[in-house]
Every structure is written in C-alpha cells, then in structure tokens.
Amino acid sequence: MQVKLEITVDTANLKKALNSGTVAKATKTGVQQTLEPATKRNFKSEGFAGQRWQALKPRTLADRAAKGFPPGPILYRTGKLSRSYSIQVKGNIVVWDWRTPYASTHQWGVLAAHLPARPFILGLGATPADVQGVEQLCQVIAKQLGL
C-alpha cells in the first residue's frame, strides 16, 4: 500500500529552497517529528485520534490462541505490520510505503468481511486529528525553512 501526501507551498521565496533540496530535508524532518511518531503512537495505544480500535472478536482471539499468538495488542500478531513501512520524501511529496498486503485492509476495514477499520496512518482522512497532524507537519517544515 502506498500513501502519498502532497504539500504545496505557493511562495516565490521557496524557489531557491526547492532547487537546493532544502524542502525535501525539511519535509523529512517534519514527517519524523509529526506523522511518524503519531503512527507509532496509534499502534501502541491501539487507537486513532483518541478513539480506541474495536476490540478483537472472540473468534479472532481463539484463532490467535490456536496458532500460538498472544491475544494482543490488536494489530500486533507478529509485529510485521507495525515494522513494515518506509517513508520517502521527494520534493514536496511524502510517500508512505507499507510492504504488507493487508495494511490497507486494516486502515480502512472491509465491510463485506465484517472487518472494522483500525486506522493507524495519520493524515489520510478528514478527521480533526488528520487536519491537526498535517498542520503540525506544515509548521515543522516552515520552521525548518525559516518561514
């Protein structure tokens, strides 16, 4: 699953910064200080934007036990999902790349399979937490650029 977050700044003063790679460095710093820690917090707290993820169903807990896995944390059976992402910054584009085929299934859920969404990536929706996370990212980038 790839997620792209594009930040567009319409300011003539940034032309030199764009050409020098400063924006990419500032964006990487911003991601490291805001979005990446937020994603890690979501896994650790088993929730998103102050809302706990839906608990695992008894059937899922029994399946985990039968396969020798612990009952929790919710999105942590082997730890692969929480460790399987990379972040690339190219200019003003941030690409989050998850190397697990089921990342999007957990992020958005699957209605037909009765699998609830358990969002962990900040910045992908229209929730107040997403807006606040992106605003914080922009503030860090602006500070890094001296704006």
Side-chain angles (χ1 to χ4, degrees), residues 1-142:
M1 172 178 82
Q2 279 196 351
V3 177
K4 290 185 180 182
L5 173 64
E6 185 170 347
I7 301 165
T8 303
V9 180
D10 186 20
T11 305
N13 294 339
L14 291 181
K15 188 173 184 179
K16 184 178 177 183
L18 286 169
N19 293 332
S20 69
T22 304
V23 171
K25 291 176 191 172
T27 302
K28 180 71 173 175
T29 299
V31 167
Q32 290 171 334
Q33 291 181 10
T34 58
L35 301 183
E36 190 171 7
T39 298
K40 289 179 181 181
R41 273 194 311 275
N42 292 337
F43 276 107
K44 187 174 182 177
S45 68
E46 298 184 292
F48 179 81
Q51 300 291 316
R52 298 264 311 163
W53 291 330
Q54 182 175 323
L56 296 174
K57 295 179 181 175
R59 180 178 67 230
T60 303
L61 293 170
D63 181 62
R64 278 184 169 202
K67 293 177 179 173
F69 294 109
I74 293 173
L75 288 184
Y76 190 95
R77 192 171 80 170
T78 64
K80 185 176 180 181
L81 178 63
S82 64
R83 293 189 314 265
S84 70
Y85 68 90
S86 66
I87 301 171
Q88 298 173 9
V89 177
K90 296 181 180 180
N92 63 340
I93 297 175
V94 178
V95 179
W96 292 68
D97 187 15
W98 252 266
R99 295 175 301 278
T100 55
Y102 47 85
S104 61
T105 300
H106 291 297
Q107 176 71 26
W108 290 289
V110 178
L111 188 60
H114 304 287
L115 183 70
R118 293 186 175 103
F120 47 87
I121 307 171
L122 188 65
L124 293 185
T127 69
D130 287 319
V131 173
Q132 183 181 15
V134 172
E135 285 175 350
Q136 289 174 351
L137 172 62
C138 291
Q139 288 171 0
V140 171
I141 293 169

